[in-house]
Amino acid sequence: MASASSLLSEERLLCSICLDVFTDPVTIVCGHNFCSSCLHTYWDSRDTCQCPMCKREFSTRPELQVNTVVSELAVDLKKLVQVKASTPGPQLPAVDVLCDFCSEIKEKAVKSCLTCLTSFCESHLEPHRRVARLKGHTLLEPVKNLDDRMCETHNKMTELYCLKEQEFICVLCLKADHKGHNAVLLEEQYEKVAATKDEAQANMQKLIQTRIEKIAEVEKLLDVSRVDSEKEEQAAVQVFTELIKSIQVSQAELVEAIQQRHRGIKQKGEEVLKELRREVTELKSRSSQLEHLSQSQDHYHFLQSFPTLSKPPHKSCPDTDLGPDLSVQDMQGHLTRLKQRVDEIMEEFLEIRMKRMREHAVDLTLDPDTAFYSLVISEDGKQVTEEDNIEEDEVTDNPKRFNTYCQVLAKEGFMTGKFYFEVQVKGKIAWLVGVVRESVERKNRSTLSVGNGYWCIGLVEGKYKTTADSEPIILKEELQKVGVFVDYNKGEVSFYNADSKSRIGRLTGCCFTEKLYPYFCPEPNYNGRNSAPLIITPVPQTH
């Protein structure tokens, strides 16, 4: 049974974030404990809300519960550490050892006997100092739990140390389980190990100094990063301020140009209208005179006046072309291209590109009706793994089910727009994820290629590849979570390291003519070496 001191061990009461004894410990729903301030700082510095220990993600920050038991233990441990720190000598116990012989009021022990396996106060120790037979016993500073030093197999004191197995043993162990092993007395091993204490302490101090230097280095880098970030932020704000000002000036100039051109057109139009109205008045007068002349019986006057009245004006009809106007289509085209260029520049920043993609996140659920017979899907429809002990006749076949490969589709399909999802591939040695067209071959074996309707990325024979490229993708770190972004209308499928937000693959010029379905292939189990599941994870939303 564990002793009280072992239960109150420091490593059991350390916060995994600050690596110090808990202060105001709280518990989250997954059962892990952290300092309240450490946990809030950890969540504030990240886009996602997840447990620092098990990495379980939460859509919203879970309600924190104060852990009173851990809090009380942490307080006790801090008091115990303070006692140890203020007490000279490593041999003195933190908790008093009581005499085993005192019957009523027990006195504090002054010595423990390894031969008698008993602790003695000053008065009960007197026989060990007087009787010759007892003087040969091994005495040491008082220690608790002397029974722990007994060999559980032979019920004898462990006086030897096996160098091969690095275990404490008794003399009978050396003749049985440790026969032929090199063993020495505990005192001899103690002297040998104690002789290396100074060297070990020196090495420890070197390690401490190295860590201190690293801390200083990291702190310096953080300071430099903070200063650089402030400078970048100021520069970005200045550039955007100037850009906005320039756009506003250009907008004002363009509006003024449009209005000025309209004023010119309006003035010219009014002059044309005035001339046209004058000519209409003149022509109406002539028409009236001709009508009156036609009723005259004076042949001489008719013939004399008709040629003049019927003759059209010397001036031609005024030109109604009021001058060139702005091409609305051309103007909008230029401004649209300008906006697209700004968007392209902004998306060169990984965080901005990932944020914009995640705005198109979709909630997916695996479709059991499409799953290969040996695939096992979790109850929530978010995880899939392959079990090699499932027989094919245990699963009912249907037209949607894949009869080849370890494949399964999501229930949700898409035929327009953009969509994005993330899949955890941590712990797997082979996998494939992406999208496929609805009519992809399901009953007969076919090559997993773009030509056959597979737009995917995967880990194949230890190399990252897409279904469009034969050359492997070289990555600096192992993928833990893959992001898949599809722009149906543009004909593009992009793959991302969802943790680092970097793009690792891109398929362009895709011709999508039918519904696309998210695709998952966990690959065979390989006798447990590839038993980790593919997991559709919630997409964190950044604000």
Side-chain angles (χ1 to χ4, degrees), residues 87-299:
T87 305
Q91 295 295 328
L92 293 178
V95 180
D96 290 338
V97 178
L98 301 180
C99 175
D100 293 324
F101 269 79
C102 292
S103 56
E104 295 182 358
I105 301 176
K106 289 186 174 291
E107 299 289 338
K108 288 199 303 183
V110 294
K111 293 290 181 179
S112 294
C113 178
L114 292 182
T115 306
C116 302
L117 294 180
T118 307
S119 296
F120 301 96
C121 64
E122 189 63 47
S123 60
H124 288 114
L125 182 65
E126 189 271 337
H128 276 74
R129 292 173 174 168
R130 176 175 48 83
V131 179
R133 180 173 57 84
L134 298 179
K135 286 184 179 181
H137 290 189
T138 303
L139 298 178
L140 70 163
E141 296 299 324
V143 293
K144 298 195 70 174
N145 304 313
L146 286 171
D147 291 341
D148 293 344
R149 305 190 180 208
M150 293 289 292
C151 172
E152 294 181 357
T153 304
H154 304 106
N155 199 28
K156 294 185 66 66
M157 177 62 62
T158 54
E159 300 175 339
L160 302 175
Y161 185 79
C162 177
L163 297 177
K164 181 178 180 180
E165 302 293 340
Q166 296 185 347
E167 292 180 1
F168 298 100
I169 61 174
C170 69
V171 291
L172 295 181
C173 291
L174 190 59
K175 298 179 180 180
D177 297 338
H178 294 263
K179 186 176 182 180
H181 293 182
N182 188 11
V184 297
L185 293 173
L186 292 183
E187 292 82 353
E188 181 180 343
Q189 182 65 12
Y190 165 78
E191 292 175 358
K192 181 180 178 181
V193 174
T196 66
K197 178 180 70 67
D198 293 340
E199 181 182 355
Q201 185 69 11
N203 291 334
M204 192 67 65
Q205 291 301 320
K206 288 181 181 179
L207 291 175
I208 293 172
Q209 184 60 33
T210 301
R211 268 54 177 184
I212 291 175
E213 291 173 357
K214 282 291 183 183
I215 290 173
E217 181 181 345
V218 172
E219 288 177 341
K220 183 178 179 180
L221 289 174
L222 289 175
D223 290 338
V224 171
S225 175
R226 176 181 56 79
V227 173
D228 289 345
S229 296
E230 291 175 353
K231 290 181 179 179
E232 290 178 4
E233 182 178 342
Q234 292 173 357
V237 171
Q238 182 179 353
V239 169
F240 271 95
T241 301
E242 294 175 355
L243 177 60
I244 293 170
K245 183 178 179 181
S246 175
I247 290 175
Q248 289 174 337
V249 170
S250 298
Q251 177 184 348
E253 291 176 343
L254 182 58
V255 170
E256 175 60 27
I258 294 172
Q259 292 176 349
Q260 184 177 352
R261 180 161 294 187
H262 174 67
R263 287 194 295 269
I265 293 173
K266 181 181 179 182
Q267 182 180 354
K268 185 176 180 180
E270 289 175 348
E271 291 175 356
V272 171
L273 287 174
K274 183 178 179 181
E275 179 64 21
L276 287 172
R277 290 189 179 104
R278 188 192 63 78
E279 291 183 2
V280 168
T281 301
E282 181 182 346
L283 291 173
K284 284 183 176 180
S285 175
R286 289 192 179 197
S287 176
S288 177
Q289 292 178 39
L290 282 174
E291 181 64 29
H292 180 72
L293 183 63
S294 65
Q295 298 175 1
S296 174
Q297 299 299 319
D298 187 346
H299 298 162

Side-chain angles (χ1 to χ4, degrees), residues 38 154 311 352 367 382 424 447 487:
C38 292
H154 304 106
K311 187 178 181 179
I352 293 177
D367 185 359
K382 302 296 184 182
Q424 179 178 305
T447 305
D487 189 332

Side-chain angles (χ1 to χ4, degrees), residues 360-370 377 380-382 400 408-416 418-421 434-438 442 486 488 514-520 536:
H360 300 281
V362 292
D363 185 17
L364 302 179
T365 305
L366 297 171
D367 185 359
D369 291 340
T370 66
I377 298 174
D380 62 359
K382 302 296 184 182
K400 295 171 60 178
V408 62
L409 303 182
K411 292 180 179 179
E412 298 77 15
F414 306 88
M415 203 167 179
T416 187
K418 303 173 182 178
F419 60 95
Y420 175 82
F421 59 94
V435 293
V436 299
R437 65 190 180 203
E438 186 174 21
R442 307 193 187 203
V486 180
Y488 190 103
E514 55 185 280
K515 187 175 288 188
L516 297 180
Y517 284 88
Y519 169 87
F520 309 87
I536 302 173

